[in-house]
Every structure is written in C-alpha cells, then in structure tokens.
Amino acid sequence: QVQVVESGGGSVQTGGSLRLSCAASGCTFVGYGMLWYRQAPGKEREFVSGINNYGSTNYADSVKGRFTLSKDNAKPLVYLEMNSLRPEDTAMYYCKTNARCGGEARWGDYWGQGTQVTVSS
C-alpha cells in the first residue's frame, strides 16, 4: 500500500555534495518517521540518519556534522543533504518509512529500493 521512493544519488568527488530525497505515498498518513540506512559492498547495512514525526533528528557518528536531514512540512518527504562526502560514504542508500496509515491499526516499516551514492577519491 505504501510506496517509498528515493532519488538523488549519483557520483561525486571527495568533498562534494549530494541531496537525497525520500518520498512516501499510498495512504493517508496518520504519523510517520523516516530513516536512512546505507550498505556498502561487503558490509552490513548501517543506520545513517532519521527523523521522527515531531521533527527530531538523529545521526550516526560517522555522518554527524556533514549530513543534514530535514522533513517537508506538509507531506511525507525528507531530504538528506550530504556534504563533505568521503569515499567511505559510498554505498547504496535506503530510505525506510515507519508509518501508520489512516485505515490501519498499527505502524509498519516500508522500504525503498535504494539509490546509489559513489564518492571517488
């Protein structure tokens, strides 16, 4: 029912910037939070950043001070502004929406398909 779509990935040089977006749709959202994860080849998927329904954000230590997560004020849409990118930021970035739809009784997790970020040195 809920669709999550990421966009904005690409290839940049070290020190460059990218802005990822994640949009959720498919229901009348009662409440939602959005979280970003990333997974590099051969590594475990790791938490990057998240924002809750109240706008409070959290960041992994590895990206703190470089990445900024913001939420649209009217719809389930978030932006992950990534600055001062490093090669170690290279990964597939996945967006997860934790949401409850108006016609449902419980919260659920919904994943996007991911967007690739490649940072070259």
Side-chain angles (χ1 to χ4, degrees), residues 73-92:
N73 61 358
K75 53 188 175 182
L77 173 66
V78 296
Y79 303 97
L80 183 65
E81 185 73 33
M82 306 185 297
N83 299 311
S84 302
L85 285 164
R86 307 163 179 168
E88 53 262 42
D89 295 317
T90 296
M92 183 72 73

Side-chain angles (χ1 to χ4, degrees), residues 1 17 23 25-26 28 31 42 53 57 62 73 76 79 83 92 106 112:
Q1 184 178 359
S17 299
S25 62
T28 301
N53 196 49
T57 57
S62 59
N73 61 358
Y79 303 97
N83 299 311
M92 183 72 73
R106 64 185 298 272

Side-chain angles (χ1 to χ4, degrees), residues 4 16 31 33 37 39 50 53-54 59 67-69 71-72 74 79 98 100 111 114:
V4 179
Y37 296 79
Q39 187 169 22
N53 196 49
Y54 302 98
Y59 300 90
F67 291 10
T68 302
L69 184 63
K71 183 165 70 75
D72 189 269
Y79 303 97
N98 179 248
R100 186 169 75 87
W111 288 90

Side-chain angles (χ1 to χ4, degrees), residues 7-84:
S7 63
S11 297
V12 297
Q13 296 180 3
T14 298
S17 299
L18 284 172
R19 189 180 76 165
L20 307 183
S21 64
C22 175
S25 62
C27 78
T28 301
F29 291 92
V30 175
Y32 61 92
M34 287 187 170
L35 305 93
W36 284 97
Y37 296 79
R38 66 186 183 187
Q39 187 169 22
K43 298 183 66 177
E44 299 290 330
R45 186 171 298 189
E46 65 175 345
F47 170 79
V48 176
S49 183
I51 188 166
N52 66 17
N53 196 49
Y54 302 98
S56 180
T57 57
N58 193 30
Y59 300 90
D61 289 341
S62 59
V63 307
K64 196 171 298 182
R66 300 187 297 119
F67 291 10
T68 302
L69 184 63
S70 60
K71 183 165 70 75
D72 189 269
N73 61 358
K75 53 188 175 182
L77 173 66
V78 296
Y79 303 97
L80 183 65
E81 185 73 33
M82 306 185 297
N83 299 311
S84 302

